[in-house]
Amino acid sequence: MYLNCHSYHSLRYGTLSVQNLVEQAFELGIKTLVLTDINTVTAIYDFKKECENAGIKPIAGIEVRKENKLLYIAIAKEFSGIGEVNKILTEHNCNGVELSETAPNYNQVFVIYPIQNIPETLKENEFIGIREEELNLLIRPEFKDKINKMVVLQPVTFSTKKEYNLHRILRAIDGNTLISKLSEDDICRKSEHFKPEIDLIKSFEHYPKIINNTKKILAECSFEFIYKEPRSTENKNKKYFKESLEEDMKLLSELAYSGLEKRYGANDEVARQRVEKELKVIGELKFSAYFLITWDIIQYSNRMGFMHVGRGSGANSIVSYCLGITDICPIELDLYFERFLNLNRTSPPDFDIDWSWQNRDAIIQYIFDTYGKDRVAFCGTNVEFKYKSIFREVGKAFGLPKEELDNLAGKSMENHDQNSIVKLVQEYGQLMEKFPNQRSMHACGILISEEPITTYTALEMPPKGFPIAQFDMNVAEDIGLEKFDILSQRGLGTINETVELIKKNRGIEIDIRDTSISKDESVCNEYLAIGKTIGCFYIESPAMRGLLRRLKCDNYRTLVAASSIIRPGVAQSGMMREYIFRHNHPNQFEYFHPVFEENLKETYGIMVYQEDVIKIAQYFGGLSHADGDILRRAMSGKERSIQKLNEVKVNFFESCKREGHSEQMTTEAFRQIQSFAGYSFCKAHSASYAVESYQSLYLKVYYPLEFMVSVINNQGGFYRTEVYIHEARMSGADVQNPCVNNSEYQTILKGKEIYLGFMVLQSLETKVAQIISEEREKNGDYKSLENFIKRIPIGIETIQILIFIGAFRFTGKPKNELLVEARLLLINYKIENRNIALFDEPANDFKLPEMKREQFEDAFDEVEIIGFPVSCSPFDLLQTKFRGNVFVKDLLKFHKSQVKMLAYLISRKHVPTKKGAMFFGTWVDINGDYFDTAHFPDSLEKYQFQGGGCYLLLGTVEVDYHFPTITIYKMAKMPMIPDPRYAYDKEKQYDVHKQIREDVSMTSRKPYPQAHEINLPRQKFN
């Protein structure tokens, strides 16, 4: 009897999860249930599973609405019927085709119209839905002759009075209005909940035809759908790259052997045998199309001159290496193919391919164009209501003012005012936790299907511009659609842009993929060992630079290990600290067990990579390949597999007992294994990251100015722009403020002069910034301020920004004189008249009194407009002349000594400890050198951070494996000089100082254990 049920995937409408909906139906003894969410099929696959587990027959449908109006309910007779409705919704969502008031000619769909939207004639598959409260209308003549085409309509939207109120709140949020302003048309009726079927039939007992019609629909519909079989490699992805598996394998083999010769030469028998072995497995698993589609995308990328990085476990494959998908030699790093593909694996290989953030959209467009817009889509993802948005949205629906909404969103619940409205906001806000709020695009997962995507889902068009499926990657995987991961990152953009800039500026062509420069180069190794890596992909954070110094990391292999041990799982288990000890003292430990020595000698017997965990699970614990695969998935962060980790634990302990290991030894080994779940890298992934880190480091070492300009233009990495500008200065650059006659939208390099781009002026419109350089390119330099105003459509506010930042310094006139001149020029000036004069008239020669400026006025202009001084150092703006007793270059000499230093704050990182919050700080001294500090809870209680600026620091130097850190006891922010621009306005003299920035990163992980708590064994177990 229930032809029209909503889950909370009817966004901002339904209040029941799929699980709740099915549970309630089960409790009432309901045997058949139809899910008809509004304009979406998001939940139908989970719904089918839940129903079948509860012994309920599932039927899938969609409620088709235009804005608030219910047009009709579409119920699929069989699975193909869902595809029919999906096409209609996709045309509407993606191509703007209007939804018609009446249903089109569906073949395998029953259509039910509400009584308010009955068409003149009903087709054979079309019916009218009558609610219990509408039965009294059937005495009317216009309805009497239609009773034979009617069915019972008992929608389900909520289950309790509280949920009905929650529904009203959701509708107010959806309409961006107050609950009190909702109309009857905005909300569901109070009757839209489950009732016992017997009561419903009793209500319609005088209309047996209506009951029979309803039962007929329920009987004739089914939701037959083949999910992916648990151990099958069959999936719903595009089956073949060419026309058949045989043709695909022939092409893949040709490409692999051709690449083998390029990569290894003609006589490398080890590589040849590995290629043969891998091709055999790929053929047996029928995964050739996946390799070839990825290869095809890479070929397009290469033709376009884009740079890519193939990372993740794909780098374990020599076939991937020979096809050019990855650039990591698996033989060199002892990466075994089984970690990537083995005959126990049923899902296609998982290639993670990175492009520059600037090129990724072009790659995606190629995929859509090549493989068909009807067969390609992004995975969707459900964005849930978050804590802040819940209180803001619910509070708004109750009519709270903005100030109170900000207050609610910004504070924890314990700190909210406890008035009656706030209590209601809290009560209903908590009910909405985990509710989906909107559908969004998966960050990188693209589906390429054999059948049209609308066979499985309707598509939506988010603002980004590429269609998305209405389900997420977990559902996609369940039904057998495996995603391709097309990722982007700024690090590749930086490398690419640097190489282009070097070619443009110096005429030097660099093959950055040449492994002789991108894996092991002597000067790069020196930089690595001292952590001189700011700006370099993945290795620039304070924690990573500290690790590189502690390891004296001076080679590619150690860098590969460092890329993985910095990950939370390794650090959390204490294995990072132990790795540092063993790396520095290789003779002061014994291997835990012979298996650890045999398999983990390269990493001193410590599990550093996912492969290490699988090796130990199999060779120490005797686990099967299948259990090893569960471990692999758990370590990849697949939530559903983490639940199976406990099952593996039982098998592991039983197996270890059979192997003769003691309980104590087994417990310690599994503790180390378990700590990795969800957080570690596979070795191939670390190796890929290390190559990219090395590539960026090579460019930083030999072409530092080009490199730093590219970092700035790619909007940096870990730090703010100011830090990269500082780094450029340290490399010999003369950094200039934006100039209308030299600067572009992006930052540019002229010799050793770096001209900051107009993009650093946040209050300058992008369009205006681009017009300035385009006009100059077309018609030559600007001769004067007046000439600039005649040529560029610009208002006084924008002119003032350019004047204050010094963009007209070529005129030789002081800023205050230029300001007066600009105002005089713009009094009667109209933008539309700027090009009327055929010839430039001579510029007016304004005679203005001499206007003097104080020395540091420019610096304060810069702080106000871009957030930091360019024309001087932050130290120059201090009231004190003291610059510290000790400098960074000498810190290693002061182990265990107390030092007093003056430093400028770069960044700080919040770190939880058992005693409370602590911070790690990163600073530069007067010489521009970086150093790090530790601030423990007892010190922070008295001496807190006071925002960006310079501080006087007092602390003790601790040298930990070549890396000095200062443990701070006291610190004080040093006062800067008053803003000279407000010499006559005391109240504003310190306003701009608040704009001096710092980088703050907040972490909420568990505290890392101390050495004594880790107690990793350094002796062989008996």
Side-chain angles (χ1 to χ4, degrees):
M1 296 294 115
Y2 295 93
L3 302 175
N4 183 207
C5 298
H6 304 115
S7 77
Y8 61 22
H9 290 285
S10 291
L11 298 179
R12 297 182 291 281
Y13 195 96
T15 66
L16 298 163
S17 69
V18 171
Q19 194 176 359
N20 286 342
L21 186 73
V22 175
E23 277 173 6
Q24 288 183 30
F26 176 75
E27 284 167 14
L28 286 167
I30 294 165
K31 298 299 181 191
T32 307
L33 203 59
V34 187
L35 181 69
T36 54
D37 275 319
I38 297 168
N39 291 359
T40 185
V41 292
T42 301
I44 62 170
Y45 299 102
D46 286 339
F47 171 72
K48 178 176 166 66
K49 283 187 171 180
E50 291 286 344
C51 281
E52 287 169 352
N53 289 340
I56 294 172
K57 176 185 172 183
I59 297 173
I62 300 171
E63 182 177 299
V64 179
R65 280 184 180 243
K66 183 156 64 174
E67 294 159 356
N68 258 353
K69 186 180 178 183
L70 168 58
L71 302 182
Y72 57 86
I73 297 150
I75 300 173
K77 294 181 187 178
E78 58 175 53
F79 184 69
S80 66
I82 286 291
E84 291 183 62
V85 191
N86 285 340
K87 282 180 187 169
I88 299 298
L89 288 173
T90 299
E91 282 295 305
H92 171 66
N93 294 335
C94 299
N95 300 322
V97 176
E98 278 292 307
L99 291 170
S100 64
E101 297 280 319
T102 54
N105 291 320
Y106 290 128
N107 293 315
Q108 295 297 329
V109 176
F110 283 117
V111 173
I112 299 166
Y113 289 100
I115 202 165
Q116 296 80 10
N117 188 40
I118 304 172
E120 284 184 26
T121 55
L122 289 166
K123 299 167 194 151
E124 190 183 339
N125 64 321
E126 295 183 338
F127 295 85
I128 301 159
I130 293 295
R131 298 170 184 251
E132 189 179 349
E133 62 268 29
E134 292 170 342
L135 284 170
N136 60 340
L137 299 176
L138 299 190
I139 58 168
R140 291 186 187 174
E142 68 265 30
F143 294 132
K144 266 189 175 179
D145 62 341
K146 293 185 171 69
I147 288 173
N148 283 346
K149 291 290 282 180
M150 288 183 177
V151 294
V152 176
L153 186 60
Q154 177 55 48
V156 176
T157 301
F158 62 93
S159 63
T160 62
K161 186 179 177 183
K162 184 176 269 191
E163 279 186 15
Y164 176 68
N165 290 334
L166 178 60
H167 162 78
R168 291 171 65 229
I169 291 167
L170 289 167
R171 300 307 298 133
I173 290 170
D174 189 58
N176 193 23
T177 187
L178 300 176
I179 302 166
S180 57
K181 291 193 174 177
L182 291 169
S183 70
E184 278 189 16
D185 292 337
D186 294 323
I187 55 178
C188 76
R189 297 189 195 177
K190 288 183 179 178
S191 58
E192 293 193 16
H193 53 81
F194 278 119
K195 296 173 183 176
E197 243 179 52
I198 194 164
D199 293 352
L200 207 53
I201 290 171
K202 189 168 176 55
S203 298
F204 283 83
E205 64 185 347
H206 299 301
Y207 300 98
K209 185 63 180 172
I210 295 179
I211 294 171
N212 290 337
N213 285 343
T214 310
K215 287 180 175 178
K216 180 173 178 281
I217 289 176
L218 292 174
E220 289 186 18
C221 291
S222 63
F223 184 6
E224 296 304 324
F225 175 78
I226 300 169
Y227 284 86
K228 187 179 170 185
E229 291 293 327
R231 303 305 302 163
S232 167
T233 62
E234 291 293 329
N235 58 64
K236 295 177 175 65
N237 283 24
K238 182 172 170 56
K239 273 193 172 172
Y240 311 120
F241 179 73
K242 299 201 78 156
E243 297 300 320
S244 67
L245 180 63
E246 293 70 32
E247 284 185 72
D248 276 8
M249 284 308 299
K250 183 171 182 280
L251 175 59
L252 185 63
S253 300
E254 287 169 3
L255 292 169
Y257 286 116
S258 169
L260 174 71
E261 198 162 322
K262 284 179 195 163
R263 294 284 200 186
Y264 296 96
N267 304 312
D268 193 320
E269 196 52 36
V270 173
R272 178 170 290 278
Q273 283 178 12
R274 175 136 175 188
V275 168
E276 283 172 12
K277 180 183 110 177
E278 288 193 16
L279 285 171
K280 188 169 182 294
V281 172
I282 293 163
E284 281 188 46
L285 292 173
K286 303 177 183 175
F287 288 157
S288 51
Y290 205 94
F291 276 81
L292 289 169
I293 289 169
T294 307
W295 165 80
D296 175 57
I297 295 164
I298 298 301
Q299 292 306 297
Y300 171 75
S301 173
N302 292 341
R303 289 196 299 274
M304 296 299 291
F306 299 158
M307 188 174 175
H308 80 276
V309 168
R311 57 176 174 84
S313 58
N316 288 57
S317 162
I318 198 169
V319 170
S320 306
Y321 183 53
C322 292
L323 262 59
I325 294 169
T326 63
D327 283 314
I328 303 293
C329 169
I331 295 173
E332 178 195 352
L333 285 173
D334 190 28
L335 305 175
Y336 65 110
F337 178 60
E338 289 73 16
R339 166 62 186 85
F340 177 53
L341 269 193
N342 59 68
L343 293 174
N344 290 304
R345 179 165 182 169
T346 58
S347 57
D350 191 10
F351 288 116
D352 292 338
I353 316 288
D354 280 327
W355 276 271
S356 159
W357 60 285
Q358 295 148 316
N359 302 143
R360 179 174 177 251
D361 280 0
I363 294 294
I364 294 168
Q365 192 63 56
Y366 173 77
I367 295 169
F368 274 87
D369 291 346
T370 305
Y371 297 99
K373 289 190 170 75
D374 61 331
R375 283 168 167 75
V376 182
F378 266 92
C379 265
T381 179
N382 283 318
V383 180
E384 294 173 354
F385 281 101
K386 299 292 190 296
Y387 180 88
K388 284 186 176 182
S389 68
I390 284 175
F391 287 112
R392 211 178 278 286
E393 296 284 5
V394 178
K396 199 194 298 179
F398 276 104
L400 295 180
K402 184 181 182 303
E403 303 73 42
E404 200 163 348
L405 296 177
D406 293 341
N407 195 27
L408 286 174
K411 285 183 180 176
S412 61
M413 269 179 59
E414 310 85 71
N415 297 321
H416 288 172
D417 293 334
Q418 289 303 308
N419 64 54
S420 57
I421 295 291
V422 169
K423 281 183 179 175
L424 280 173
V425 170
Q426 288 178 345
E427 186 182 343
Y428 286 101
Q430 285 175 290
L431 290 175
M432 276 165 56
E433 281 180 24
K434 301 291 178 191
F435 270 43
N437 180 26
Q438 60 190 56
R439 269 177 294 279
S440 184
M441 192 164 93
H442 185 279
C444 56
I446 290 180
L447 308 172
I448 304 177
S449 167
E450 177 71 16
E451 298 293 325
I453 290 276
T454 51
T455 305
Y456 312 106
T457 176
L459 301 178
E460 295 181 8
M461 186 68 80
K464 180 78 178 170
F466 293 108
I468 61 169
Q470 289 186 328
F471 48 64
D472 64 19
M473 58 177 273
N474 292 319
V475 173
E477 195 176 301
D478 276 350
I479 68 175
L481 278 169
E482 306 284 348
K483 63 186 171 61
F484 289 74
D485 285 330
I486 306 295
L487 305 109
S488 72
Q489 43 143 299
R490 294 188 183 276
L492 273 178
T494 297
I495 291 169
N496 217 19
E497 200 169 303
T498 306
V499 169
E500 287 171 10
L501 198 53
I502 293 163
K503 184 179 177 183
K504 179 183 168 188
N505 282 8
R506 305 197 190 197
I508 299 171
E509 289 207 36
I510 295 170
D511 179 7
I512 199 62
R513 289 187 176 172
D514 177 354
T515 52
S516 66
I517 65 173
S518 64
K519 271 197 191 161
D520 239 340
E521 197 281 333
S522 57
V523 186
C524 292
N525 288 340
E526 288 171 23
Y527 272 54
L528 265 183
I530 58 171
K532 199 173 177 183
T533 54
I534 296 238
C536 298
F537 173 76
Y538 198 67
I539 55 172
E540 64 166 337
S541 72
M544 193 63 177
R545 289 187 296 109
L547 176 60
L548 294 173
R549 288 182 70 173
R550 287 183 175 97
L551 296 174
K552 274 200 170 174
C553 175
D554 61 356
N555 61 80
Y556 169 68
R557 278 180 176 266
T558 307
L559 179 60
V560 174
S563 298
S564 190
I565 65 174
I566 197 75
R567 298 282 292 165
V570 193
Q572 186 68 55
S573 66
M575 285 185 261
M576 178 170 77
R577 185 181 282 272
E578 186 63 17
Y579 183 94
I580 294 166
F581 171 83
R582 294 185 183 192
H583 181 79
N584 284 283
H585 305 292
N587 302 317
Q588 293 183 28
F589 72 94
E590 293 178 329
Y591 286 93
F592 177 67
H593 185 275
V595 168
F596 281 70
E597 181 172 14
E598 187 183 334
N599 288 284
L600 308 180
K601 196 157 191 174
E602 186 186 322
T603 55
Y604 314 109
I606 291 168
M607 286 179 268
V608 167
Y609 311 111
Q610 289 177 6
E611 288 90 339
D612 298 342
V613 180
I614 295 169
K615 282 178 190 173
I616 296 305
Q618 290 178 348
Y619 301 127
F620 174 83
L623 286 188
S624 66
H625 277 291
D627 277 347
D629 205 48
I630 290 172
L631 271 178
R632 174 192 68 76
R633 289 169 68 81
M635 290 183 296
S636 304
K638 307 249 179 180
E639 289 174 27
R640 299 179 179 194
S641 301
I642 288 172
Q643 295 162 7
K644 295 181 183 175
L645 206 55
N646 287 332
E647 295 169 29
V648 177
K649 183 177 182 177
V650 172
N651 295 346
F652 183 79
F653 273 77
E654 285 175 359
S655 182
C656 283
K657 199 172 185 178
R658 288 195 296 272
E659 299 278 330
H661 304 319
S662 71
E663 178 105 4
Q664 188 187 5
M665 186 190 288
T666 303
T667 302
E668 173 56 30
F670 196 79
R671 184 188 75 80
Q672 293 181 29
I673 286 172
Q674 201 168 22
S675 68
F676 270 62
Y679 291 107
S680 58
F681 275 172
C682 68
K683 189 176 183 181
H685 197 87
S686 291
S688 307
Y689 266 30
V691 166
E692 192 177 338
S693 299
Y694 221 108
Q695 289 169 335
S696 53
L697 179 62
Y698 177 84
L699 296 171
K700 177 185 170 75
V701 167
Y702 289 103
Y703 307 95
L705 301 191
E706 286 87 350
F707 180 71
M708 292 322 302
V709 164
S710 299
V711 172
I712 292 164
N713 286 336
N714 280 275
Q715 290 158 50
F718 188 87
Y719 305 97
R720 62 190 183 277
T721 300
E722 177 186 6
V723 178
Y724 301 116
I725 289 171
H726 167 75
E727 195 68 7
R729 271 212 185 90
M730 295 291 286
S731 302
D734 175 14
V735 180
Q736 297 283 335
N737 275 315
C739 166
V740 295
N741 274 340
N742 286 290
S743 294
E744 307 285 342
Y745 177 69
Q746 290 195 320
T747 296
I748 59 166
L749 179 65
K750 292 188 173 185
K752 289 208 164 186
E753 285 187 320
I754 289 177
Y755 279 90
L756 296 179
F758 294 119
M759 65 187 287
V760 302
L761 309 177
Q762 292 173 358
S763 45
L764 185 71
E765 282 181 45
T766 302
K767 191 178 174 186
V768 172
Q770 288 166 340
I771 288 171
I772 291 171
S773 52
E774 286 167 10
E775 165 61 23
R776 187 183 67 226
E777 188 90 8
K778 210 184 292 177
N779 296 312
D781 284 358
Y782 302 103
K783 301 182 184 71
S784 63
L785 176 63
E786 184 176 10
N787 177 252
F788 178 85
I789 288 169
K790 281 182 178 176
R791 292 163 63 181
I792 302 296
I794 204 163
I796 188 65
E797 291 84 2
T798 311
I799 281 284
Q800 283 179 176
I801 293 164
L802 292 169
I803 289 171
F804 281 130
I805 205 62
F808 294 100
R809 55 191 179 278
F810 71 90
T811 63
K813 296 177 180 179
K815 290 180 182 178
N816 31 18
E817 190 176 316
L818 287 166
L819 279 170
V820 174
E821 187 179 325
R823 287 190 179 120
L824 289 170
L825 284 165
L826 289 168
I827 287 170
N828 297 312
Y829 173 76
K830 290 181 181 170
I831 287 173
E832 60 270 22
N833 293 336
R834 74 181 193 282
N835 289 324
I836 287 175
L838 292 174
F839 302 100
D840 253 359
E841 296 170 14
N844 291 324
D845 189 14
F846 295 102
K847 298 292 180 191
L848 297 168
E850 190 179 346
M851 300 178 191
K852 289 186 178 177
R853 279 172 65 82
E854 293 294 328
Q855 182 184 357
F856 291 116
E857 283 194 43
D858 285 348
F860 281 97
D861 283 341
E862 291 152 8
V863 171
E864 188 166 355
I865 294 170
I866 57 176
F868 54 89
V870 176
S871 55
C872 71
S873 152
F875 293 96
D876 296 332
L877 302 178
L878 294 178
Q879 291 181 16
T880 179
K881 299 297 175 202
F882 177 73
R883 294 296 180 259
N885 292 335
V886 173
F887 303 103
V888 175
K889 57 186 173 64
D890 302 316
L891 277 181
L892 288 171
K893 301 174 192 171
F894 287 88
H895 181 48
K896 297 292 181 189
S897 300
Q898 196 171 86
V899 294
K900 190 187 282 186
M901 297 184 72
L902 188 78
Y904 182 60
L905 180 58
I906 298 296
S907 68
R908 59 185 165 109
K909 180 180 182 180
H910 165 270
V911 179
T913 73
K914 288 175 181 175
K915 291 182 179 177
M918 72 172 286
F919 278 93
F920 288 116
T922 300
W923 312 74
V924 290
D925 69 3
I926 185 66
N927 301 316
D929 297 320
Y930 299 89
F931 68 100
D932 292 82
T933 56
H935 305 252
F936 289 94
D938 52 352
S939 159
L940 285 167
E941 204 172 309
K942 293 180 184 174
Y943 305 102
Q944 296 182 354
F945 285 90
Q946 304 287 329
C950 294
Y951 287 71
L952 186 62
L953 306 169
L954 181 70
T956 300
V957 179
E958 307 281 347
V959 179
D960 180 38
Y961 300 109
H962 335 291
F963 177 61
T965 303
I966 304 172
T967 301
I968 299 300
Y969 304 133
K970 294 182 180 179
M971 70 174 178
K973 189 172 176 184
M974 303 305 286
M976 291 166 66
I977 59 171
D979 187 342
R981 302 172 306 164
Y982 295 102
Y984 302 106
D985 189 344
K986 301 292 181 191
E987 286 184 16
K988 292 188 176 178
Q989 281 191 335
Y990 290 94
D991 281 2
V992 78
H993 300 62
K994 296 167 191 166
Q995 289 176 237
I996 298 280
R997 298 175 196 167
E998 58 171 331
D999 293 320
V1000 184
S1001 55
M1002 300 296 289
T1003 53
S1004 55
R1005 60 166 172 74
K1006 291 177 184 172
Y1008 286 167
Q1010 298 300 303
H1012 68 277
E1013 294 173 304
I1014 301 159
N1015 201 22
L1016 270 177
R1018 289 179 184 163
Q1019 292 80 36
K1020 188 183 291 186
F1021 261 59
N1022 293 325

